[in-house]
């Protein structure tokens, strides 16, 4: 396959995606039969300029992450996703590497939770996608890039999140994340991206090295399912936080909910509205 076929394929698939099917408002007059270029770029987490160059054949070497993001945003089937990788001159990621693909079934789940804060991480705890309510609650994740999208880095080395932890809870949370990452490294020994992540974390943090070299190897279990979120406009919100494991695809889906009709439910709804408006503005 020639690389110039990649752009036209993306354009054809973009034209067939109904905006409503991916949570995009179709209000007003539209020249595009499907998604506008800027809408697909936002869904895939890439710039409009880069998507334009891809579609026009002026950029011909998209990364694995970009191809995966486009296949997810375009709602491609398994066969179509594989074809897109081939058009990009790449071999589709196999079972020996960590998948960053949001499968159609998981995407349908996200679509049905469109008004609930949800984030999806891969097996390395790297953020794949967060919906608008999640960004409204926890802050804009679309500006995160590279290692900033990794939860191990964010909690052990970086600025953390808006979740409030006691020192003991924070230590337990860090240890659990690193222990889970060690299990992932054992499952995917051929994954060079994963080895690079571990090397970068080790270089940046003695605390990570200490946890990595400990004897603990276990799946991540957050001992505190009740999370207190400190929202800058709404204040403290106490929520239930559940992490669902998609075993076959090795994904982690984190969902935040509140007891219906409670004060926290009202604060959560307000945080989502305010946060979403701020993202639009």
């Amino acid at each position: 396959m020639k690389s110039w076929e990649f752009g036209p394929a993306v354009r054809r698939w973009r034209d067939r995606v109904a905006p409503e099917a991916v949570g995009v408002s179709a209000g007003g007059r539209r020249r595009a039969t499907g998604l506008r270029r800027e809408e697909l770029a936002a869904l895939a987490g890439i710039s409009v300029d880069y998507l334009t160059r891809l579609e026009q054949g002026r950029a011909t070497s998209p990364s694995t992450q970009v191809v995966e993001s486009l296949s997810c945003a375009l709602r491609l089937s398994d066969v179509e996703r594989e074809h897109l990788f081939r058009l990009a001159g790449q071999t589709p990621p196999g079972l020996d590497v960590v998948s960053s693909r949001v499968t159609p079934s998981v995407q349908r789940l996200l679509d049905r939770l469109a008004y609930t804060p949800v984030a999806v991480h891969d097996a390395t705890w790297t953020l794949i996608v967060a919906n608008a309510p999640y960004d409204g609650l926890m802050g804009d994740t679309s500006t995160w890039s590279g290692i900033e999208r990794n939860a191990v880095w964010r909690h052990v080395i970086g600025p953390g999140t808006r979740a409030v932890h006691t020192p003991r809870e924070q230590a337990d949370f860090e240890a659990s994340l690193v222990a889970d990452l060690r299990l992932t490294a054992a499952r995917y020994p051929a994954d060079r991206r994963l080895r690079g992540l571990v090397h970068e974390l080790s270089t940046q943090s003695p605390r990570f090295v200490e946890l990595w070299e400990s004897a603990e190897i276990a799946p991540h279990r957050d001992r505190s399912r009740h999370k207190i979120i400190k929202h800058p406009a709404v204040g403290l919100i106490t929520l239930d936080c559940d992490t669902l494991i998609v075993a076959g695809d090795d994904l982690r889906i984190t969902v935040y909910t509140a007891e219906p009709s409670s004060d926290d439910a009202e604060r959560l709804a307000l945080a989502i509205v305010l946060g979403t408006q701020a993202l639009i503005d």
Side-chain angles (χ1 to χ4, degrees):
M1 293 293 180
K2 297 184 182 296
S3 59
W4 59 264
E5 295 178 335
F6 183 90
V10 170
R11 176 58 191 268
R12 287 194 301 272
W13 283 322
R14 175 164 67 84
D15 286 343
R16 80 174 184 184
V17 179
E20 300 86 351
V22 293
V24 174
S25 173
R29 298 182 61 182
R30 300 177 64 89
R31 294 175 57 190
T33 57
L35 290 176
R36 295 187 175 110
R37 189 173 281 157
E38 60 268 24
E39 292 167 344
L40 175 58
L43 289 169
I46 61 178
S47 70
V48 178
D49 175 69
Y50 184 51
L51 178 58
T52 300
R53 289 187 285 117
L54 283 173
E55 289 192 349
Q56 294 177 351
R58 293 185 288 117
T60 57
S61 300
S63 68
T64 299
Q65 183 177 357
V66 167
V67 179
E68 196 74 88
S69 296
L70 285 171
S71 70
C72 174
L74 291 166
R75 304 297 198 266
L76 300 186
S77 68
D78 291 345
V79 173
E80 291 168 338
R81 169 182 173 268
E82 181 175 344
H83 184 62
L84 190 64
F85 270 98
R86 302 292 184 191
L87 292 180
Q90 299 182 27
T91 301
L95 298 177
D96 58 342
V97 298
V98 175
S99 174
S100 59
R101 185 190 182 210
V102 176
T103 60
S105 60
V106 171
Q107 185 59 57
R108 287 192 294 272
L109 177 63
L110 294 177
D111 292 341
R112 284 161 177 74
L113 294 174
Y115 300 101
T116 301
V118 182
V120 182
H121 293 81
D122 67 16
T124 70
W125 285 99
T126 296
L127 181 66
I128 302 173
V129 62
N131 65 6
Y134 183 92
D135 281 1
L137 174 67
M138 302 298 284
D140 185 10
T141 63
S142 67
T143 61
W144 299 355
S145 62
I147 202 170
E148 292 177 325
R149 300 183 69 80
N150 182 262
V152 181
W153 176 87
R154 186 156 290 276
H155 287 279
V156 178
I157 303 170
T161 66
R162 290 177 178 173
V164 178
H165 293 112
T166 66
R168 176 58 185 271
E169 289 172 344
Q170 179 67 23
D172 288 345
F173 189 68
E174 293 172 0
S176 181
L177 283 174
V178 175
D180 188 82
L181 185 62
R182 289 187 67 193
L183 274 181
T184 298
R187 284 198 303 276
Y188 302 97
D191 193 316
R192 289 180 295 177
R193 183 172 65 92
L194 174 53
R195 291 200 301 270
L197 171 65
V198 172
H199 175 74
E200 188 166 358
L201 292 170
S202 300
T203 300
Q204 293 189 26
S205 171
R207 167 67 172 161
F208 174 81
V209 173
E210 174 190 345
L211 292 172
W212 185 261
E213 293 179 349
S214 71
E216 185 174 2
I217 302 176
H220 172 63
R221 291 188 179 91
D222 192 348
R223 294 178 175 85
S224 176
R225 289 182 56 189
H226 298 288
K227 293 288 187 184
I228 298 176
I229 308 301
K230 187 175 182 180
H231 190 275
V234 178
L236 299 178
I237 315 171
T238 301
L239 301 172
D240 290 325
C241 175
D242 294 283
T243 298
L244 315 176
I245 305 298
V246 184
D249 300 299
D250 220 353
L251 299 175
R252 290 96 171 92
I253 304 175
T254 304
V255 185
Y256 288 91
T257 58
E259 183 71 26
S261 302
S262 65
D263 290 342
D264 287 305
E266 293 181 4
R267 284 191 283 268
L268 174 60
L270 179 58
I272 291 172
V273 170
L274 294 176
T276 303
Q277 287 177 345
L279 293 174
I280 294 174
D281 296 340

